[in-house]
Amino acid sequence: MIKTDIVVIGGGPAGICAAINAASSGAKVLLLDRDSQLGGQLIKQTHMFFGSQKQHASVRGIDIPGILVKEMEEYKDNIQIMLDATVLGIYEDGVLTIEKNDDYIKIKPKGIIVATGASEKFPAFPNNDLPGIYGAGAVQTLMNVYGVSPGKSVFMVGAGNIGLIVSYQLVQAGVEVKGVICRGPRYGGYAVHASKLKRIGVPIMPGHRVIHAHGKDKLERITLIKLDENKKEISGTEFDIETDVLCISTGLTPLGELLWQMGCEMKFIREFSGHVPVRNEELETTVPGVFVAGDVAGIEEASSAMVEGRLAGLCCAKKLGFTNPEYSSLKEDYLQQLHDLRSGPVGDGIRKGLAKIVV
Amino acid sequence: MRIESHPILTFEKGKIVKFTYNGKEMEGYEGEPIAAALHAQGIKVLGYTHHRNRPRGFYCAIGNCSSCLMVVNGKPNVRTCVEKLTEGAVVETQKGRGELK
């Protein structure tokens, strides 16, 4: 049985930042990730980030893990990293069980920070399980991490930032993008991403949805239908498009299984795209000593995930008696950064969601 | 298909290793996910479901959704989107739930 002060579950932007701040406050930290490298989904984000300097704006996503890992090295005496390690369960006595390379390991921490991220949602239509229909994250992993083209041509479902960005990345990788659809009357992502696509001739088609996928053993063709302004189908407007890849980018949902298992009070929050834990301003859930950070607390951006990680790390350590000498000013700074990131019209939904879940 | 040139990325690849897919000899890069090595050869169907025998490919590619289960070195239900390719790996299409020996 491994004993430690704080276990951080998930080594993406939120988890790494949580580990850094817990360790810099003096706590011994064990950082776990089921992948064989740190960085979470940043390792495939080739685009530059928004936000402010503090959240690495204008840096490509793929370059951020390196910056964070370097920062983490300053506290290496306090941080142990365990990769290829999947948390299987958390028990009533506070013991975590982990599978690593077919070994079964038990860990007993005093505090837990859950930063497990999110998984992709999946729209319903007949044959939506055909091979060739992939999540946008999967397409990014395949082409940006492993250098394998997802197919000859791709049709994109979803015109939020991820859908727009991945479409552009596909063209960069030499793949034809036949079109991008969304159900609403306008694309949902930032104009800067949409105009990049328009410049290279990729059609953005608002007011459409996929009603059928076709193919014997794998995707060959899709049927689309036009939608009116209320997203209702207009009968007689069906048409087919040939494509061997359909990329699904219809949003993410928080990966909260471990929080459910621990008995954290969970609520469905539409603005956060799924069930998220009730928590206080310091990101502590209703189970004392269990904190959350990043997409598992509600779908947002990597920039806010990093700040949440820092806040959760700082506050979880304090709860266990490791008070950072600059605790108050750091906490104020992180809360201010989060406030700034969530201000303006882009943060409307996030602010509404937070009002329902933060106690 | 492999992406040969990219404006931003360079792909660090392991050494070339041989493996078999349903008995057929193939090549891939050591350490890349088995599903990526197969996809590069145009193989998208990785298994068939238990109930309706429907074809399955990968979906999430991060070890989350279990759509990519195959039999690897005799072991069923291996998530090939995250399982690393090794020299001499024996990879087979999984039908249904797979059988434990």
Side-chain angles (χ1 to χ4, degrees), chain A residues 141-213:
Chain A
T141 304
L142 200 64
M143 69 173 173
N144 292 347
V145 182
Y146 299 108
V148 175
S149 169
K152 290 188 204 79
S153 65
V154 172
F155 199 84
M156 180 69 66
V157 180
N161 277 328
I162 296 179
L164 298 175
I165 289 168
V166 174
S167 296
Y168 188 73
Q169 291 175 357
L170 279 158
V171 176
Q172 278 184 319
V175 181
E176 182 196 5
V177 178
K178 291 205 159 175
V180 183
I181 55 165
C182 61
R183 295 191 306 144
R186 186 190 177 273
Y187 59 85
Y190 297 149
V192 55
H193 297 310
S195 46
K196 266 178 155 181
L197 277 183
K198 286 179 190 161
R199 272 202 298 277
I200 53 174
V202 173
I204 300 177
M205 303 153 61
H208 288 82
R209 70 174 285 245
V210 180
I211 52 167
H212 214 293

Side-chain angles (χ1 to χ4, degrees), chain B residues 10-11 16 18 20 24 27 33-34 46 48 52-53 55 57 64 68-69 74-75 80 83 90 92-93 97-99:
Chain B
T10 48
F11 302 106
I16 291 176
K18 284 190 164 57
T20 64
K24 191 181 159 201
E27 284 182 350
I34 291 170
L46 309 176
Y48 291 88
R52 296 192 182 179
N53 200 38
N64 218 24
C68 63
L69 303 181
K75 191 170 145 187
T80 54
E83 186 74 15
V90 178
E92 294 166 284
T93 303
R97 292 184 180 125
E99 265 178 53

